[in-house]
Amino acid sequence: MSAAPDSVGVVALREPKSLRLPPRDERGRFMRRQSAAVLPQPGHHSIPVLFVVSEMADFLKAGGLGDVAAALPRALRPACDVRVLIPGYPEVLQRIRAMNIVGRVDAHAGLPECRIGLTHQADGLPVYVLLCPELFERSGSPYVDGSGAEWDDNAIRFATFAHAAARIGAGGCGLKWRPALLHLNDWPSAMAAAYVRWTGGDTPSVLTIHNLAYQGVFPRSVAKAIGVPKAHLEDMEFHGRLSFLKAGIINATRINTVSVSYAAQIVGPEEGCGLHELLARRAAQGHLSGIVNGIDDSWDPATDRSLPARFSPADCRDRHLNARAVRTAFGLPDNGGPLFAVVSRLVHQKGLDITCEVAPQIVAAGGQVVIIGGGEPQGEAQVAALVRRFPGAVGAFIGFEEGLARRMFAGADFLLMPSRFEPCGLSQMYAQRFGCLPVAHATGGLIDTVDDGVTGFLFEGASADGLRRCLQRAIRTFRSPLLLGAMRRAAMLRPGGWTPAGQQYHALYRQAAGIAATRGLTA
């Protein structure tokens, strides 16, 4: 692993095949990868940045991207003139206090005309809202309808969104402000980098891949409607279809992911989701990097009003009161054993089947399991069957309620995260801040944020056997109060805020802004 010549604290990948699991120390524990050193404060240099994102926790979120979108632009404000662009979903329009119409995006190919509204959050963060009622003002999540089916016009919806970002970058929408750089996030906005290049623009862009498994793949028949030049169809070709994310990877000035280890993994066939060769080429040029996500300051057990008992690293004596409240909420008795939590989408990626397979071992050791989340019908059925099989030892809430999730982090002894892959993960950092030790598969951002045997436990191979062996270590730790307390304090004191990540993004912006946007890759 080596830094690109023009990098300032951001790790770029030049030898992707050599990047594997981290080494172990003399006790066999994984040694955490070191990401870039914390940069000095960037000073007064202000880069105008348009942060383009399809969800934001201020208004609505479907996953961790929404949390990142709410926190990262704010962390960047001391160094950048950062403004957010988000589609005008009903939830956005309902939550804004006031908005002025400040611009317009002309129709393009089969994409409709849109208006641009400007609003400001309570803390002054500017947010541009792309107004197109026929595309965005509908019930459901940003990506699926109320039944969980993808909107059949998602290609048009998010091509329109990406095209608008590209036009704002070109200064062509009548705004009085123009960004010097576009920060794109995942497939819904990735096409903006392609639209910039296809129209001969020079606005540089950074594309953050939060989860490579979601690529925005659509039939080739949409090419004309979304305005793909025939000469650039190859930019998007993906097994006979068109991939929005591939177009972004080819055309963005810089690519980054949300952890150092995930950036290393996606250049290989196992985690590369069919794009590993393209990503490896970008990595070989020094254009692929990893920056670990942070968590915001609301994750503080000393001030969190949703907790029955607040506590700090220096004084955890009342933490057990949160465990009592969690057990009561899930109808479980206090048996004096370890309490394991699952706070997750109930999907295959998260290793829910692995958790269900090892749950009998946890129960046999005197432990209990509490689960919160929703997801695939099969996963929800597995959880329901587990609750029926172990009444009094396993409890579940199908759905999500943030206050309950916070109490689970603050009351459970361990967090189960046997994810098959995990670009970064936020739950393990939330848990650590609240003194709950992650038991996690050594993959992606879990490697970068869990110090094995110090702030949690890691195991190799996403399998029930691997998790069982790791659970034996966790349960032995539970039975050693001094060791458990020491690890709990170490986890709570682990740095995990957004300032280091914000400084590294600022350095990445400076690199990208110094490179002509037309230096993207050809397929």
Side-chain angles (χ1 to χ4, degrees):
M1 185 182 303
S2 60
D6 58 351
S7 69
V8 185
V10 179
V11 176
L13 310 179
R14 286 196 178 277
E15 298 178 359
K17 291 185 179 180
S18 68
L19 296 166
R20 301 301 184 205
L21 289 175
R24 297 175 182 266
D25 63 15
E26 67 279 1
R27 294 171 58 187
R29 302 177 306 182
F30 284 108
M31 298 170 63
R32 187 176 47 176
R33 290 184 188 273
Q34 297 298 314
S35 64
V38 176
L39 299 174
Q41 289 292 340
H44 65 278
H45 302 290
S46 182
I47 303 173
V49 175
L50 184 66
F51 192 91
V52 189
V53 70
S54 55
E55 59 183 85
M56 184 180 184
D58 292 48
F59 308 109
L60 81 168
K61 68 173 186 176
L65 173 59
D67 290 322
V68 173
L72 180 54
R74 291 177 164 95
L76 289 163
R77 290 186 71 196
C80 304
D81 176 10
V82 61
R83 307 185 183 193
V84 176
L85 176 67
I86 190 169
Y89 309 117
E91 295 86 350
V92 174
L93 302 179
Q94 292 163 9
R95 287 170 172 77
I96 59 179
R97 298 177 299 172
M99 180 173 63
N100 296 318
I101 305 301
V102 294
R104 187 187 72 180
V105 184
D106 291 335
H108 173 72
L111 309 179
E113 176 184 284
C114 304
R115 295 182 300 161
I116 301 172
L118 174 62
T119 186
H120 291 80
Q121 296 301 83
D123 60 359
L125 177 68
V127 177
Y128 289 112
V129 181
L130 187 67
L131 301 170
C132 188
E134 64 266 35
L135 295 185
F136 302 118
E137 291 185 36
R138 55 182 73 170
S139 60
S141 90
Y143 321 108
V144 300
D145 62 22
S147 67
E150 291 188 7
W151 298 109
D152 57 12
D153 60 347
N154 268 350
I156 298 295
R157 296 173 75 230
F158 292 107
T160 299
F161 180 53
H163 176 255
R167 295 304 301 148
I168 292 173
C173 298
L175 305 185
K176 296 180 180 179
W177 175 86
R178 179 179 177 181
L181 181 137
L182 303 177
H183 186 161
L184 313 174
N185 293 274
D186 275 347
W187 73 264
S189 57
M191 283 279 290
Y195 285 126
V196 166
R197 190 178 183 202
W198 295 343
T199 56
D202 60 1
T203 308
S205 57
V206 168
L207 170 61
T208 297
I209 300 172
H210 298 264
N211 192 334
L212 187 63
Y214 299 96
Q215 298 183 11
V217 177
F218 300 99
R220 290 179 67 95
S221 58
V222 305
K224 182 177 181 180
I226 64 176
V228 183
K230 290 183 179 180
H232 291 284
L233 274 173
E234 196 66 21
D235 284 9
M236 302 184 68
E237 199 284 327
F238 188 74
H239 301 290
R241 308 185 82 196
L242 302 182
S243 167
F244 279 33
L245 189 62
K246 181 184 176 185
I249 292 171
I250 285 176
N251 290 288
T253 314
R254 282 282 194 269
I255 316 296
N256 85 292
T257 67
V258 288
S259 73
V260 180
S261 293
Y262 189 60
Q265 291 172 339
I266 62 175
V267 299
E270 289 186 7
E271 303 294 345
C273 300
L275 295 176
H276 56 283
E277 292 182 354
L278 171 60
L279 288 163
R281 297 208 302 274
R282 298 291 327 236
Q285 293 184 335
H287 293 171
L288 174 63
S289 61
I291 300 175
V292 178
N293 280 338
I295 59 176
D296 66 53
D297 293 339
S298 73
W299 293 92
D300 183 352
T303 59
D304 195 319
R305 294 181 179 274
S306 67
L307 305 184
R310 291 185 281 277
F311 57 98
S312 69
D315 186 358
C316 291
R317 288 174 296 179
D318 290 339
R319 190 178 184 277
H320 71 282
L321 299 176
N322 296 300
R324 180 185 301 171
V326 170
R327 286 186 166 99
T328 299
F330 285 91
L332 305 181
D334 187 352
N335 65 355
L339 182 61
F340 292 81
V342 175
V343 182
S344 171
R345 289 182 292 117
L346 305 182
V347 296
H348 183 71
Q349 174 206 334
K350 299 296 184 178
L352 177 66
D353 56 318
I354 298 172
T355 295
C356 291
E357 190 171 344
V358 303
Q361 176 186 342
I362 294 174
V363 175
Q368 295 169 313
V369 183
V370 289
I371 303 169
I372 185 172
E376 298 165 350
Q378 180 181 356
E380 294 180 1
Q382 283 180 305
V383 170
L386 199 65
V387 172
R388 290 193 299 269
R389 182 180 175 186
F390 296 107
V394 179
F397 176 80
I398 303 300
F400 188 76
E401 198 280 304
E402 183 164 330
L404 178 57
R406 286 175 177 256
R407 291 188 287 276
M408 291 168 65
F409 289 131
D413 300 295
F414 303 102
L415 177 76
L416 296 173
M417 288 193 72
S419 304
R420 288 180 163 83
F421 65 93
E422 194 66 68
C424 178
L426 296 175
S427 290
Q428 79 278 12
M429 291 188 276
Y430 297 151
Q432 288 172 325
R433 186 63 56 83
F434 280 19
C436 177
L437 302 177
V439 179
H441 177 214
T443 187
L446 300 176
I447 297 172
D448 296 340
T449 55
V450 178
D451 194 350
D452 189 37
V454 179
T455 63
F457 303 91
L458 294 175
F459 63 94
E460 286 188 68
S463 68
D465 286 342
L467 179 54
R468 285 191 185 99
R469 288 190 293 271
C470 200
L471 283 171
Q472 291 171 0
R473 297 169 57 203
I475 292 171
R476 284 197 302 269
T477 299
F478 177 81
R479 293 170 179 164
S480 175
L482 289 177
L483 177 56
L484 178 65
M487 290 186 66
R488 184 169 282 160
R489 286 189 293 274
M492 294 177 71
L493 291 169
R494 178 192 171 273
W498 274 105
T499 299
Q503 292 170 338
Q504 292 177 59
Y505 272 106
H506 181 256
L508 182 59
Y509 291 170
R510 293 177 64 182
Q511 293 169 25
I515 300 172
T518 54
R519 286 173 61 182
L521 231 81
T522 56

